[in-house]
Amino acid sequence: MDTTLLLVQLLNGLQLGVLLFLVAAGLTLVFGIMDFINLAHGVQYMVGAYLGVVFLALTGSFLLTIPLVLVGSFLIAVVLEHLVFRKLYRASHLSQVLATVGVLLFITELVEIIFGPQLYQIPIPAFLDGAVPLTDTLQYPVYRLVVIGLGLMLAVALWLAVSKTRLGALVRAGATDAEMVSALGVDVERLFLFVFAFGGMLAGFAGLVAAPIVAVEAHMGNQVLILCFVVIVIGGIGSIEGAFLGALIVALVDTLGRTFTTDIMKLLVDPSAATTIGPALASMLIYLLMAVVLFFKPRGLYPAKA
Amino acid sequence: MTSSRKILAIATAAVCAVGLAAAPARAQEDPVKIGFLATMSGPPGIIGKHLYDGFMLAINQAKAEAGGRPIEVIAVDDELKPDLAVAKAQELIERDEVDFVAGIVFSNILMAVFRPITESETFLIGGNAGTSTVAGRRCSPYFFSTSYQNDQVHAVMGKYAEDQGYKKVVLLAPNYQAGRDSVAGFNSEYTGNVVDTIYVPLNTLDFSAELARIASAEPDALFTFMPGGMGVALVKQFRQAGLADKVVFLSTFTVDEATMMATKDDALGLYGSAQWAANLPAEGNAEFVSSFKETYGYQPALYAAQGFDMGLLILSAINAVDGDLSDKAAVRKAIAAADFKSIRGDFKFNTNQFPIQDFYLTQAVKTEDGDYVMNAVETVFEDAADSYASECKM
């Protein structure tokens, strides 16, 4: 293990972290402000990728595809909120879980019916195709660097919006005490709708930028969703800062864990046992981390509510 | 009363006699029923689709008729759930009274339905999965495979790496039984230096951490088994990380016509292993590929070819017994004869009723028509039998 490899892995962790953040941001706001558990949030990520495939085929330009996917994801989230989620805000968490899993299954199946079981892809746009050499053996794809840059910029913009603007103040106030905000004459329903749709749009954008790296398929959102729940639980529900911190921690622990756990285990036990224990331990690390965080800070590292 | 009873008896006997006389004639018109059981939904459903389309192409080219009897195919989806697969298999056997069950994409499904189907003395023709137990000590006279024993495909890559004299190899596989089997299969033929064996969680989609590890190990070759969406992600990221020009990419069930619909140019030049390829010179193969493409509008992968051979095999057996499937021993003999023109070339059954066949190194190429296909570039094993046949006592 050398420092360049460590650097590459840190970049990889950062890149996964910003993607997770984009999905987790919407999830944490919706959960924090509306006390609403949305297991169908990963669907927005998947739909974003599929919208990317469709719009790219129609326009032929990645740059044109980005705004179209943003608008499309936003509108789909608005429709879902109107048709289904609006009716669930006052329901119990169990009802919310059941209903949103239903939405998840319905949309996943619908996408499979429309697009078929085959895998789709979005190629890396030509102007971002290439790699930056770090050493003789290691290089880093330009596209992933751009994803990191974009993700960090969005994170800062989101943080500024939430902490410095009037709308952001309402969102924070809503996360702390929705009833009081409503009593002060704010149209909470519209606030909810906006937050929900905005979260859906961010997830859709994450799906689009992830598509050139992974395969586009109907179940791609499920795995990301599970990670994102870990992220917001570690970070503290309802806070953007918490989601960002949580996303980076989860991504770095996961990435570095996958790289180095087996090597570390080899120092402790014999190599064949290490190749068995290492991967199992590596995939458990983030959940162990979550358990530790919850033990010491039950409300997460950066909770929204005082 | 007595006389009327007598009349009734005579009438019944007469009807029976007429019925008996008519029975063979009616049996000829009764359709032969084939249950097609495979995973057809979810992300791995694409493999079931290839298998089914290939199978139906064979049946339809025979105008759904063999041995003078029409053929009826009942297709069911096991959804990759072993318990559901068993229930569906029992429905096929008891309710539909099928003569054959064909299909089966995944090993865990095969293990679940193997006993219920073979113990009911229904012929099971496996089109893809080939676990070591059913090739070895738990083999059955009622099971035939038109694919391979799982280990063989991985061993092809190990043999190739050995023949090429690669000194350093990294192995990468998902952390579950089939992944560990792939590593064992590769290592059974490769004696060089495996510098690293990396297991990733099933359904990993970001391989950046593993690829960085591979790059810094500077191996001659990478061997991997990453089916479905994992393979697509790996191939794209392998290319993006700039490794495609430095490390030879050896794979099984990772780069094929199904995943290349998503990886496109990123897969070009990468290697795989198979018992069939679109460019094999076997009689009827070129016709198969062109009529498959014409009928279904996409390029057949090896699963489609296995399905097609599965169809040809069943048709040949029904023809050999003239549609009379009542004598199980005769039917078994007819299947074991493998009296059909396999589109992979030479094909015959071993004592454990798995094929003895050639295995090839395949490579991803783009044809002049813009299609992405795996072409056979080198024969790695000739007339290969699997190593479990000796454990099979029938």
Side-chain angles (χ1 to χ4, degrees), chain B residues 279-315:
Chain B
N279 68 334
L280 288 182
E283 193 187 329
N285 194 27
E287 291 80 0
F288 161 73
V289 174
S290 63
S291 56
F292 188 96
K293 266 184 68 183
E294 198 175 300
T295 313
Y296 303 110
Y298 66 96
Q299 192 74 31
L302 72 163
Y303 318 108
Q306 287 154 212
F308 190 74
D309 275 352
M310 190 165 72
L312 292 185
L313 173 69
I314 294 177
L315 291 170

Side-chain angles (χ1 to χ4, degrees), chain B residues 38-272:
Chain B
T39 307
M40 316 245 256
S41 56
I46 189 74
I47 300 176
K49 184 174 162 56
H50 275 259
L51 196 66
Y52 181 69
D53 287 349
F55 178 70
M56 288 312 290
L57 186 66
I59 301 293
N60 289 334
Q61 283 183 353
K63 303 199 165 48
E65 205 184 272
R69 290 174 67 183
I71 291 173
E72 183 188 339
V73 177
I74 305 164
V76 281
D77 179 9
D78 60 45
E79 298 176 26
L80 194 43
K81 293 175 185 152
D83 52 331
L84 185 76
V86 171
K88 296 279 186 193
Q90 263 150 3
E91 267 180 30
L92 285 174
I93 294 163
E94 281 156 30
R95 190 190 63 195
D96 302 321
E97 296 179 333
V98 296
D99 302 291
F100 300 90
V101 178
I104 319 291
V105 175
F106 287 93
S107 296
N108 58 337
I109 300 292
L110 179 63
M111 294 315 287
V113 300
F114 187 76
R115 264 168 190 266
I117 296 176
T118 54
E119 281 175 5
S120 75
E121 304 194 340
T122 308
F123 288 102
L124 174 60
I125 316 295
N128 193 53
T131 43
S132 53
T133 44
V134 304
R137 59 192 164 77
R138 272 180 58 186
C139 63
S140 160
Y142 289 94
F143 178 77
F144 287 86
S145 165
T146 64
S147 55
Y148 33 70
Q149 198 283 313
N150 293 350
D151 298 5
Q152 292 182 293
V153 189
H154 309 302
V156 170
M157 292 283 79
K159 178 79 161 68
Y160 179 73
E162 182 76 14
D163 290 350
Q164 291 295 307
Y166 294 140
K167 292 193 177 59
K168 286 164 74 182
V169 175
V170 172
L171 312 183
L172 176 66
N175 192 17
Y176 74 125
Q177 193 53 46
R180 291 180 178 272
D181 288 349
S182 73
V183 167
F186 182 88
N187 284 336
S188 69
E189 291 287 338
Y190 181 69
T191 59
N193 183 13
V194 176
V195 287
D196 205 353
T197 303
I198 308 171
Y199 289 106
V200 296
L202 198 56
N203 293 328
T204 295
L205 287 179
D206 190 349
F207 294 91
S208 50
E210 289 73 23
L211 288 170
R213 233 170 107 177
I214 293 164
S216 69
E218 296 183 64
D220 298 316
L222 166 73
F223 167 71
T224 188
F225 160 72
M226 284 291 159
M230 291 191 290
V232 173
L234 176 66
V235 164
K236 289 167 81 171
Q237 294 165 21
F238 185 78
R239 177 76 61 182
Q240 289 163 16
L243 286 171
D245 309 321
K246 296 177 186 162
V247 179
V248 178
F249 187 95
L250 305 175
S251 67
T252 48
F253 306 110
T254 304
V255 187
D256 58 33
E257 285 78 357
T259 59
M260 275 193 285
M261 287 174 85
T263 53
K264 302 231 157 72
D265 284 355
D266 284 342
L268 294 182
L270 306 187
Y271 293 108

Side-chain angles (χ1 to χ4, degrees), chain A residues 115-163:
Chain A
F115 290 89
Q118 68 263 44
L119 304 157
Y120 288 85
Q121 68 124 26
I122 293 178
I124 287 184
F127 59 96
L128 296 177
D129 207 355
V132 183
L134 300 173
T135 63
D136 291 346
T137 54
L138 287 173
Q139 46 178 316
Y140 205 75
V142 174
Y143 184 77
R144 285 186 190 247
L145 288 174
V146 172
V147 170
I148 295 173
L150 268 180
L152 290 178
M153 270 160 52
L154 270 173
V156 171
L158 205 58
W159 174 74
L160 283 176
V162 171
S163 61

